[in-house]
Amino acid sequence: MQKEACFYLGKIVSKFSFKGEVLAKLDTDEPELYENMESVFVSMRNNLVPFFIKRCRLHKSSLLRIDFEEVNSEDDADKIMGAELYLPLSSLPKLEGNAFYYHEVIGFAVHDDVHGTIGTVTGVNDTTSQALFEVEKDGKELLIPVTDEIITKVDRENKTIQVTTPEGLVDLYLG
């Protein structure tokens, strides 16, 4: 499985028991969706390796306690400590309406209520406190905040995002 065909689920952050159970911090608003997984890909030396799960359950609401079939001791757990976890994109729950995954809107055209088409989404920067659409138009990059106040409609069929940007934002980049 290639990383491009997967999404980042989280990271193994600590050992839980001497029998090899580990705790993973998930990168999701709904960790309960992943309580009944049968397997997951573990990133090891730049490869995604499938690991099968005996049992997994939520631990203190935000961590997932995982008992892997192949991990039966603290030494085994040490080998995967800090490893990133991935799942195939096909296992993501479908989103509707204006909810979207960042990877699915790459290539969408962005239409502003005032300025018309202001470019194409080339990426999403979520390393800042406020996620930003990276939008390119005629070689220039615009950064548009990803907020419910700005995004008025996500049209998957036509691959467009309708936005109402704050006054002056678009002019800052294209003016």
Side-chain angles (χ1 to χ4, degrees):
M1 180 69 66
Q2 299 295 316
K3 249 185 202 172
E4 297 76 40
C6 294
F7 68 96
Y8 173 76
L9 178 63
K11 187 175 192 172
I12 297 173
V13 293
S14 69
K15 293 183 277 190
F16 184 79
S17 74
F18 66 92
K19 294 179 185 169
E21 284 182 296
V22 295
L23 294 176
K25 174 89 175 95
L26 301 186
D27 183 28
T28 176
D29 295 333
E30 300 178 282
E32 63 278 0
L33 292 177
Y34 301 96
E35 274 190 289
N36 297 310
M37 294 187 299
E38 294 177 6
S39 64
V40 67
F41 290 102
V42 177
S43 182
M44 300 178 75
R45 295 182 294 286
N46 266 350
N47 291 313
L48 292 184
V49 180
F51 273 66
F52 293 93
I53 297 172
K54 279 191 239 178
R55 184 173 179 205
C56 68
R57 56 204 171 280
L58 280 182
H59 179 75
K60 295 185 179 170
S61 77
S62 65
L63 296 171
L64 196 62
R65 180 175 160 188
I66 305 173
D67 185 4
F68 288 112
E69 287 181 8
E70 302 91 345
V71 180
N72 299 304
S73 68
E74 283 188 73
D75 284 345
D76 291 346
D78 282 335
K79 292 175 186 159
I80 58 172
M81 200 51 49
E84 294 179 339
L85 304 177
Y86 291 86
L87 284 173
L89 288 172
S90 59
S91 66
L92 279 171
K94 290 281 183 236
L95 296 180
E96 296 177 352
N98 284 352
F100 58 88
Y101 295 110
Y102 292 160
H103 70 270
E104 79 175 303
V105 296
I106 306 298
F108 278 33
V110 181
H111 298 284
D112 180 70
D113 291 342
V114 173
H115 300 279
T117 301
I118 57 173
T120 303
V121 177
T122 57
V124 178
N125 181 341
D126 63 351
T127 60
T128 58
S129 59
Q130 170 65 60
L132 301 165
F133 282 132
E134 297 169 345
V135 178
E136 185 182 315
K137 174 150 180 142
D138 302 329
K140 294 181 181 176
E141 183 181 64
L142 294 81
L143 298 174
I144 310 290
V146 177
T147 67
D148 291 338
E149 295 78 36
I150 291 177
I151 300 167
T152 54
K153 183 175 185 208
V154 176
D155 182 347
R156 287 174 176 77
E157 195 174 311
N158 295 307
K159 295 191 178 298
T160 60
I161 299 172
Q162 188 68 39
V163 296
T164 304
T165 55
E167 190 173 330
L169 180 70
V170 174
D171 295 329
L172 183 71
Y173 295 105
L174 300 179

